[in-house]
Amino acid sequence: MYILNYTILNFSFSLDSILGPIGLYEGLRSVRDDNFIDRMSYYYSNMFLLFFTVLVATEDFVEPIHCWCPEEFTDTERIYTQQLCWISNTYRVPFSEPIPPQFEPRDNDEVTYYQWVPLILLLMAAFFTFPRQVWKYCSQHSGVGIKKMLTLVAESVKDEPRAQEKKIQMVADYIDAWCTNMKPYRSGMYSSVREKYGHYCSVGFGRHYGNYLVTLCVFVKLLFFLNAIGQLYFLNEFLGGRDFWIYGYEVIYKVILEHNWGQSTRFPKVTLCDFDLRQLENVQRWTLQCVLPVNLYNEKIFIFLWFWISLVAFLSFGNFIYSLFIILYPRQKTSFAKKYLKMENVYDRGNFLSRKMVRKFADNHLRQDGIFLLKLLSFNTSTVFVSKITNILWEKYRERVHEVGRTVENEFYEGKRKTVRYIPEPNYGHLTDGYESEV
């Protein structure tokens, strides 16, 4: 896992250096609530697509079409012919085959996409951005200001120790208050009845269930994966249903075995154009041979996009599966809390009561969303800050438990064990459900 993270991090720096000033904004972001695989989809993909759009849409870089006109054509007729052949669909006929005398068979191999490539690239960029916009909009309704909280902690690194402690305490108090208010049955009709039977049959998600952010995160990562797969199918239809999803394999096959891409039937450089030219009362049908220099760029662009989108789809799928596993793995919350409590020397692994209480602290108080926030903090700051915040949350939880319940002291004498019983009040059942154990 360390080697994979190191490789992805180096790849991120390489992309930022390739994009140059365009990637400057991404490098200046002080806090992040995503990972590099997400940014590959919504940020780097957009940068590549916008660059390609400018390349194919600007005639200063490439002339879109040039037709071989008869000598009797005037300069005005030449310009008219090229403009007409550009906006109308040309068609491809191999040089080894004769041109069909009928006009209907010529329409079977029309090239219909090259005029719309810039607009399609912009549309693809918009779809790549969509999952990110879903996350930004829905996360604002989680009841916690994620960006402000991450920025506050990240900026505290440069502060004096006293200011740091103040900000850490502020963030810990904020998270504690937010986690404490996670009560699925705190409002509505018959809340006490629903709470009573909800422990036996309850399946839900949302802010009050403590799994709103993690559910949204997994859903957005699924959107990133579905978007990448949808883009491949979309390009296949846009290019005329020419099995675009196997295009990359064809290129690899030609490069390895033939050592030459040759003439691509998907992106023909030489096409034919039919048009009618009216001269007084005569209407004459012309068939001209045209060259599409823009397809030289389109071919390379779509080859790159095939490999890039395939890579994004593969990594997005792995990102989705990993996130789903982390959420469904029952012990990940407790393991995360134990990790940072050990740094503060407040967790005793050999004490059964300590293990039991830490498990309730992670499962019943922090829950999925609380752990998710602490993980975001760990991504944007040092482990020292996260361990301090976790310790403050732990102390607040312990004080609250001791306030709502009473504890009979552990007595060890003559090799005998004494039973310990926690008796919570009904209103705080979400903090500690009551348990008996032997120490």
Side-chain angles (χ1 to χ4, degrees):
M1 182 61 69
Y2 174 78
I3 297 177
L4 178 61
N5 292 335
Y6 181 77
T7 304
I8 292 178
L9 184 61
N10 287 338
F11 186 45
S12 173
F13 290 150
S14 301
L15 281 179
D16 289 337
S17 62
I18 292 174
L19 292 174
I22 299 178
L24 183 62
Y25 167 76
E26 186 65 21
L28 293 178
R29 286 177 58 187
S30 58
V31 295
R32 304 181 188 276
D33 56 358
D34 51 22
N35 56 31
F36 177 70
I37 298 177
D38 297 334
R39 293 193 294 275
M40 284 181 63
S41 184
Y42 77 83
Y43 180 77
Y44 295 110
S45 296
N46 277 3
M47 292 299 102
F48 289 128
L49 289 170
L50 293 177
F51 172 76
F52 294 149
T53 301
V54 174
L55 179 64
V56 299
T58 306
E59 293 186 6
D60 294 337
F61 294 105
V62 56
E63 184 181 6
I65 191 172
H66 186 79
C67 295
W68 189 2
C69 299
E71 294 185 359
E72 59 266 26
F73 277 23
T74 63
D75 292 340
T76 303
E77 290 175 335
R78 293 174 186 271
I79 296 175
Y80 169 81
T81 299
Q82 294 196 24
Q83 295 292 337
L84 183 62
C85 289
W86 171 251
I87 63 175
S88 60
N89 297 329
T90 59
Y91 59 95
R92 175 183 176 275
V93 176
F95 284 94
S96 58
E97 301 178 6
I99 299 177
Q102 296 81 13
F103 293 110
E104 289 78 8
R106 303 181 184 182
D107 298 337
N108 296 331
D109 205 6
E110 280 189 330
V111 184
T112 61
Y113 59 83
Y114 54 85
Q115 309 98 318
W116 308 104
V117 169
L119 294 179
I120 292 301
L121 294 178
L122 290 177
L123 183 62
M124 291 175 61
F127 276 107
F128 271 114
T129 310
F130 175 73
R132 175 63 179 175
Q133 298 306 317
V134 171
W135 165 258
K136 293 176 67 175
Y137 175 78
C138 295
S139 62
Q140 294 175 357
H141 296 77
S142 63
V144 58
I146 298 178
K147 185 176 181 180
K148 292 182 179 179
M149 183 183 64
L150 296 179
T151 303
L152 180 66
V153 177
E155 293 177 351
S156 65
V157 177
K158 304 178 182 178
D159 295 338
E160 298 178 352
R162 183 176 300 178
Q164 287 182 359
E165 295 296 333
K166 184 178 179 180
K167 290 184 178 180
I168 289 175
Q169 184 68 43
M170 186 186 305
V171 172
D173 292 341
Y174 184 75
I175 296 178
D176 181 72
W178 183 65
C179 292
T180 305
N181 290 325
M182 292 181 186
K183 302 177 183 178
Y185 309 104
R186 71 177 188 178
S187 61
M189 298 180 60
Y190 308 108
S191 58
S192 59
V193 177
R194 290 188 289 113
E195 181 176 5
K196 179 179 179 181
Y197 294 100
H199 296 288
Y200 303 101
C201 54
S202 177
V203 178
F205 64 91
R207 291 186 302 170
H208 303 315
Y209 287 89
N211 56 11
Y212 176 81
L213 287 176
V214 293
T215 304
L216 176 62
C217 179
V218 172
F219 175 70
V220 169
K221 294 183 186 301
L222 177 62
L223 286 182
F224 279 127
F225 168 67
L226 295 179
N227 173 72
I229 297 298
Q231 297 272 14
L232 291 176
Y233 280 94
F234 172 73
L235 288 178
N236 179 73
E237 296 301 321
F238 171 65
L239 296 176
R242 297 176 180 270
D243 296 332
F244 181 75
W245 47 76
I246 63 173
Y247 183 38
Y249 300 108
E250 294 180 357
V251 173
I252 295 175
Y253 176 82
K254 290 183 178 180
V255 170
I256 295 178
L257 298 183
E258 302 179 6
H259 304 286
N260 185 17
W261 293 356
Q263 290 291 332
S264 174
T265 59
R266 303 173 188 273
F267 303 96
K269 280 75 172 181
V270 179
T271 58
L272 298 175
C273 174
D274 296 335
F275 68 96
D276 295 327
L277 185 61
R278 183 185 297 273
Q279 296 176 341
L280 296 179
E281 297 182 356
N282 298 325
V283 178
Q284 188 173 359
R285 184 81 171 186
W286 291 89
T287 298
L288 301 183
Q289 182 172 300
C290 301
V291 61
L292 296 173
V294 70
N295 263 1
L296 180 66
Y297 292 89
N298 287 336
E299 182 181 31
K300 307 305 183 294
I301 288 173
F302 285 102
I303 287 175
F304 174 83
L305 288 179
W306 188 91
F307 285 102
W308 176 260
I309 296 176
S310 299
L311 176 63
V312 170
F314 175 76
L315 294 179
S316 297
F317 179 73
N319 198 23
F320 165 71
I321 295 299
Y322 176 75
S323 301
L324 188 63
F325 171 77
I326 290 298
I327 291 177
L328 297 180
Y329 182 57
R331 299 183 59 184
Q332 63 90 17
K333 300 190 297 296
T334 306
S335 300
F336 183 87
K338 289 178 180 179
K339 171 186 174 181
Y340 287 97
L341 290 178
K342 286 179 181 179
M343 296 181 182
E344 296 294 317
N345 296 322
V346 296
Y347 171 68
D348 184 7
R349 184 177 181 181
N351 191 327
F352 175 79
L353 284 179
S354 179
R355 298 199 306 270
K356 185 76 172 180
M357 198 168 184
V358 169
R359 185 159 59 249
K360 286 183 173 292
F361 167 67
D363 294 340
N364 299 343
H365 182 56
L366 293 179
R367 305 193 185 190
Q368 293 280 9
D369 283 351
I371 297 294
F372 180 78
L373 286 180
L374 292 177
K375 286 184 177 181
L376 288 182
L377 290 174
S378 67
F379 295 154
N380 290 275
T381 186
S382 64
T383 56
V384 177
F385 283 78
V386 180
S387 63
K388 290 182 179 180
I389 293 175
T390 307
N391 184 37
I392 295 175
L393 293 173
W394 166 250
E395 294 298 333
K396 286 179 173 291
Y397 175 76
R398 289 184 59 190
E399 293 175 3
R400 192 177 296 111
V401 168
H402 288 302
E403 288 177 1
V404 299
R406 60 185 179 83
T407 305
V408 180
E409 292 185 355
N410 299 344
E411 297 182 0
F412 291 89
Y413 58 93
E414 298 179 1
K416 296 183 179 180
R417 297 183 177 182
K418 196 71 175 178
T419 300
V420 178
R421 179 173 179 82
Y422 284 80
I423 309 175
E425 295 181 3
N427 292 337
Y428 295 89
H430 68 288
L431 295 175
T432 172
D433 299 328
Y435 53 87
E436 290 186 359
S437 62
E438 287 188 348
V439 181

